[in-house]
Amino acid sequence: MTGEARRPPLQLGARLRRALGGQAGWRGFALQVVLVVALAWMAHAIVDNARANLATQKIASGFGFLWSTAGFGVSQALIPYSESDTYLRALFVGLTNTLVVSLVGIVCATIIGFVVGLGRLSPNWLLARIAGAYVELIRNLPLLFQILFWYLAVLSALPSPRQSINLFDSVFLSNRGFGMPKPVGTDALVPFAIAIAVAVIFAVALRAIARRRLFATGRQMIVWPMLVAALIGLPLLAAVMFGAPLTFEYPVLRGFNFSGGLRIVPEFVALAIALSTYSAAFIAEIVRAGVQSVHKGQTEAGASLGLTRGEVLRLIVVPQAMRVILPPLTNQYLNLTKNSSLAVAIGYPDLVSVFAGTTLSQTGQAIEIVAITMAIYLVISLLTSALMSLYGWRMSRSMGT
């Protein structure tokens, strides 16, 4: 004779008390309510006090200033901008400059960091010592000092535009920046872009088919001739049929500086180099720790299968090490983005320089501008963390962990 176990009572009161107050029960819940009320009262008092002080000093408040004319120029703008545009437009100019230098820094720091980190683990004695010396030298110097070094000691020492370093009358390097041909799209650009998109879609689909066949039959499908033919042949065919997709506008020396072409200001170059090299030193140590966290048996198993050292790293060690590398790597990306605010020291027009600097000094609305700037950095950091978490989740899912 079998009988079903009696279901325990719901105990809704006990569950609600545990959910709201934890182990402290209703007493803990009451303390939380008191804390929230106290924080709300403090926030209200701060806002009310600030508003009263602004009214006493006859300082305007609110966000209406964003639609007023800025009246100042910006040395580098990735979106169309003039002095007659609004402060809101100036905000977007500073934001795009911050995003670009942060993105360039993240990409370069990741590449340099992985190379240096793997170099520290190299069996080559000289290469390992050079990588170690790079890490110890760069990470122990203040970032602001390194930014000033690249800007004042390296880039400012370059020749003037008239004596600039000339490469094929197309690329010029001087103390005014880096000038190069600017690509300008033609009518054939659209079909050329469509051909590239079709080639990329074909390559992705072909790779998926090859991967599925490898798992199903154990046979590796040779796809690189078709990939090369698609990625090169389709855009080339579009260029032959519709003409060149791009023309180039070359920089020309007029007076004391170059005009036309594409010019990268030295402030951007100095900031990007300093952020990349400084963050790469920390990323290198993260990569080294991640690789060393993988058991040596994995490397020995790969070697016993006949894989080369590079294949063992690429196929076995690094994918497993990424689980350890990703969390601190995300922290370095966040630090790099926030450290870009040091650009104000060399006059690069980033978000802090343009909006929290020039705009603040002209309007005097410190509370609104500082709040907007803090909110933007917070959103950028949260988005970066979310993207890295998504990447980590996809990697864990692909490895079946």
Side-chain angles (χ1 to χ4, degrees), residues 166-172 250:
N166 184 347
L167 187 62
F168 304 116
D169 287 335
S170 301
V171 179
F172 303 91
Y250 291 87

Side-chain angles (χ1 to χ4, degrees), residues 151-169:
Y151 183 64
L152 299 176
V154 178
L155 297 178
S156 296
L158 291 174
S160 64
R162 289 185 180 277
Q163 288 80 35
S164 62
I165 301 173
N166 184 347
L167 187 62
F168 304 116
D169 287 335

Side-chain angles (χ1 to χ4, degrees), residues 296-314:
K296 289 184 178 179
Q298 300 287 322
T299 304
E300 295 170 356
S304 66
L305 293 174
L307 299 178
T308 64
R309 176 177 169 78
E311 290 173 335
V312 170
L313 278 175
R314 181 170 57 88

Side-chain angles (χ1 to χ4, degrees), residues 344-359:
V344 69
I346 56 175
Y348 177 70
D350 74 324
L351 177 63
V352 174
S353 176
V354 172
F355 194 62
T358 308
T359 302

Side-chain angles (χ1 to χ4, degrees), residues 194-210:
I194 294 175
I196 291 179
V198 172
V200 170
I201 293 173
F202 174 77
V204 172
L206 189 61
R207 185 176 180 275
I209 293 173

